Amino acid sequence: MKQNWKPGTMIYPLPAVLVGCGDSPENWNLITVSWVGTVCTNPAMCYVSVRPERHSYGLLKRTGEFVINLTTEEMARATDWCGVKSGREFDKFKETGLTPVRGSVVGAPVVVESPLSIECRVVDVKELGSHHMFLAEVVNVQADERFIDGASGEFRLEDAGLLAYSHGHYYGLGEEIGKFGFSVKKK
């Protein structure tokens, strides 16, 4: 039997990402976001949702660019720290020891330690209530060569130890259960 609860956003687990924003090293910032996702394959589009009172919100609105940096178990402490401390008061790169570099296409920072960084350009902002959704086109993806198999060229993101967020807690992804299509594959 299930209980009825008030409406809420209980879609878990989610990725815990570090969104790089700003357009120069003097104003680069990171914000931890779990309200993030894929919107479309062609053209490649995604979104992040941010509260307007957050320091990063103004940077996102002004520049119209950001980078979604996937995080790993090794980055868990820095990921959490960037979610509870404000860029108004701290240089998050200095405080966490994460390494910023300018995106290849956008001015926002890529986190060197991230296994995958998705450079985005905002196409629309939807004011939805507590959060505003920045709908964006993916303009470039940077993949860490440590996870590219030299022989096959396959990108092995599953080897990165990705971080997930579920109802206020961080988790590693755990053991693989199957590959897409495994349920119908002939034996």
Side-chain angles (χ1 to χ4, degrees), residues 143-159 176 179:
D144 189 326
E145 292 178 351
R146 292 179 298 165
F147 303 107
I148 298 175
D149 184 290
S152 69
E154 178 184 4
F155 185 56
R156 308 255 327 139
L157 188 56
E158 62 273 18
D159 293 343
E176 180 181 345
K179 186 175 180 179

Side-chain angles (χ1 to χ4, degrees), residues 35-149:
W35 297 176
V36 57
T38 300
V39 176
C40 188
T41 302
N42 189 12
M45 296 183 76
C46 57
Y47 75 92
V48 296
S49 291
V50 178
R51 292 180 182 269
E53 58 270 15
R54 298 289 230 140
H55 174 66
S56 295
Y57 179 88
L59 294 169
L60 293 166
K61 275 286 259 202
R62 181 178 63 74
T63 66
E65 297 180 338
F66 60 88
V67 178
I68 297 171
N69 297 281
L70 298 188
T71 60
T72 64
E73 293 175 36
E74 289 179 356
M75 298 169 67
R77 182 174 277 301
T79 301
D80 181 65
W81 197 91
C82 288
V84 296
K85 298 293 184 177
S86 175
R88 284 186 188 97
E89 300 166 17
F90 295 95
D91 176 337
K92 293 183 181 183
F93 288 103
K94 180 180 174 191
E95 297 290 333
T96 62
L98 295 173
T99 311
V101 296
R102 181 179 298 279
S104 294
V105 176
V106 301
V110 164
V111 175
V112 170
E113 293 80 3
S114 173
L116 192 76
S117 300
I118 305 164
E119 297 181 48
C120 301
R121 195 163 283 135
V122 176
V123 297
D124 197 10
V125 180
K126 302 281 186 188
E127 297 183 8
L128 300 172
S130 65
H131 289 70
H132 294 182
M133 181 177 72
F134 291 83
L135 182 63
E137 183 176 358
V138 175
V139 295
N140 189 52
V141 176
Q142 293 190 34
D144 189 326
E145 292 178 351
R146 292 179 298 165
F147 303 107
I148 298 175
D149 184 290

